[in-house]
Amino acid sequence: MTDTSTIIDGRALRAWLHEFARRVAENSDHLTALDSEIGDADHGSNMHRGMTAVVAAIDADAGTEPGPLLKLVGRTLVSTVGGAAGPLYGTLFLRMAAAAGDTGPLDAAGFAKALRAGLEGVAARGRTEIGDKTMVDALAPAADALEARLAAGAAPAAALAAAAAAAAAGRDATAGRVARKGRASYLGERSIGHQDPGSASATLLVEAAAAALGTGADGQA
Ligand code: ADP
Ligand code: MG
């Protein structure tokens, strides 16, 4: 039976953010290794610093509404993560916050809408299209898959799992592309054969959503 009851409230979003922080910490060295191949070897440490600050900020905040919570996340990332990824991930969460509004929990469709708004914000801020070998190459197929599965009547858990698989496929496809944005673009054709670090961290974000949001508001199976 289709599960239309999934409520994505502040508590669920906190579970998602904790899960993303955990996965970023676990994969920090890997993200930095990817960035050492086509960038400046700081993506893992950038994201780890940012998500450590996010966890501290949301743990200290008593608010329960998704919009203000997502706004806090975006502001924290902008102020703690340098380089390209900070403003871009910050924009993702700030646009998600705006889409979520000031009051009330989201349902799965509302979360998909917020993710779409976040993706559009990143693409506009980064002047990036799909295929440029950036985080957008993971986020765009994830947003597409999430919307398509929900529209077809899939349960939120299945739709989020499909989004995570789509993000991973998008991430893997970046290896075959020439980087057109960010530091990796300085390498031109020599960027081919290397996976984009931002697409790898963005995949962790979507995989964390599937793990934490797919199973219910408290993240428990
Ligand atoms: P920096 O490149 O400043 O060292 P990071 O290493 O933390 O910052 O992040 C690099 C990632 O940021 C890239 O792998 C790519 O996914 C993403 N990125 C860089 N420029 C853009 C852009 N214009 N649009 C979207 N994503 C971008
Ligand atoms: Mg870097």
Side-chain angles (χ1 to χ4, degrees):
M1 203 178 93
T2 300
D3 170 15
T4 53
S5 66
T6 296
I7 297 299
I8 300 176
D9 58 5
R11 190 173 161 205
L13 291 174
R14 285 168 195 277
W16 171 42
L17 294 159
H18 276 111
E19 183 60 21
F20 180 45
R22 194 184 70 70
R23 288 171 190 240
V24 164
E26 205 171 84
N27 291 280
S28 173
D29 289 349
H30 174 62
L31 295 172
T32 286
L34 292 174
D35 198 29
S36 74
E37 291 171 22
I38 54 170
D40 57 353
D42 64 357
H43 190 57
S45 50
N46 282 344
M47 294 305 295
H48 186 39
R49 183 173 61 255
M51 289 312 297
T52 301
V54 163
V55 165
I58 65 174
D59 285 356
D61 179 82
T64 56
E65 301 295 354
L69 181 73
L70 292 165
K71 193 168 169 183
L72 175 63
V73 173
R75 292 169 71 120
T76 303
L77 289 172
V78 168
S79 62
T80 58
V81 184
L88 291 166
Y89 270 103
T91 297
L92 176 76
F93 283 100
L94 291 172
R95 292 295 183 89
M96 286 190 80
D102 280 342
T103 53
L106 303 169
D107 57 10
F111 182 79
K113 210 171 146 188
L115 185 64
R116 169 68 59 192
L119 162 66
E120 285 175 353
V122 171
R125 173 125 197 191
R127 296 193 171 84
T128 311
E129 290 174 13
I130 187 153
D132 284 350
K133 193 177 178 114
T134 71
M135 57 177 76
V136 167
D137 289 5
L139 292 172
D144 289 348
L146 184 58
E147 287 169 355
R149 291 300 187 95
L150 291 173
L160 285 163
R171 171 201 64 199
D172 293 347
T174 64
R177 299 193 193 285
V178 177
R180 292 204 201 89
K181 297 289 169 187
R183 290 178 195 279
S185 66
Y186 307 155
L187 293 177
E189 299 274 322
R190 281 182 292 138
S191 63
I192 295 177
H194 303 279
Q195 192 182 98
D196 175 63
S199 73
S201 60
T203 298
L204 297 178
L205 181 73
V206 183
E207 288 174 344
L213 301 176
T215 50
D218 58 3
Q220 302 299 309

